[in-house]
Each structure stands twice: as C-alpha cells, then as structure tokens.
Amino acid sequence: CVVISLSKGVQFVDLQGGQGAVTSDFYVVSSGDTLSGIAKMRYGSTELWRLILDANQEEIGVLPSGERALIYPGQELFLP
C-alpha cells in the first residue's frame, strides 16, 4: 500500500493487486471538501461528481431533498 500526499491535504491511496494488474484509488476527505471539488481534482470536471457518489452509495449520506451529499473529514471514498 502506497500513500501519496499532495497539497491541500489531498491523499490518494493506491492498492495494487497481486500482479499489479488491478489498482484501486481511494480519497481521504479533508475539511471543506465537496464531491464536485474532488471530481474536479480527479477527473478535471466538477460535473462528474456523481461518479463518486454512485461508487460510494453506502458510505455517502444524502439529504432528503437530494440537494447535497454528506461527506466528512477522514472519510475514505473510492474513486473509480
């Protein structure tokens, strides 16, 4: 397991499979993060935030209005 620390408290954790064939990425949420902000850093577009939400449905809460996803500092999100 390799942890790479970037500026602004961003951390990506690369988990490599047995032969290096499979790599999964996780993001550790920092204070002030939003799914659209994470999507911008990861994919280059704020509009792709739903990819993160869909990949983490059991970890991310959503307000009843559906307007806002609930994430918190220290939470680990899978980034497809």
Side-chain angles (χ1 to χ4, degrees):
C1 175
V2 177
V3 177
I4 303 168
S5 295
L6 304 173
S7 64
K8 298 182 184 176
V10 176
Q11 294 180 333
F12 288 97
V13 180
D14 295 331
L15 304 174
Q16 298 181 353
Q19 306 263 321
V22 178
T23 300
S24 298
D25 292 328
F26 289 83
Y27 175 77
V28 179
V29 176
S30 295
S31 180
D33 279 343
T34 62
L35 291 182
S36 60
I38 297 167
K40 175 74 173 172
M41 286 186 288
R42 176 68 172 179
Y43 310 115
S45 172
T46 59
E47 295 179 12
L48 297 176
W49 66 271
R50 194 163 275 289
L51 290 173
I52 301 168
L53 179 63
D54 291 345
N56 295 278
Q57 289 181 6
E58 294 188 19
E59 290 80 24
I60 298 176
V62 179
L63 292 176
S65 63
E67 293 179 20
R68 186 168 186 187
L70 304 174
I71 59 175
Y72 55 88
Q75 184 177 22
E76 292 185 16
L77 301 176
F78 173 70
L79 301 181

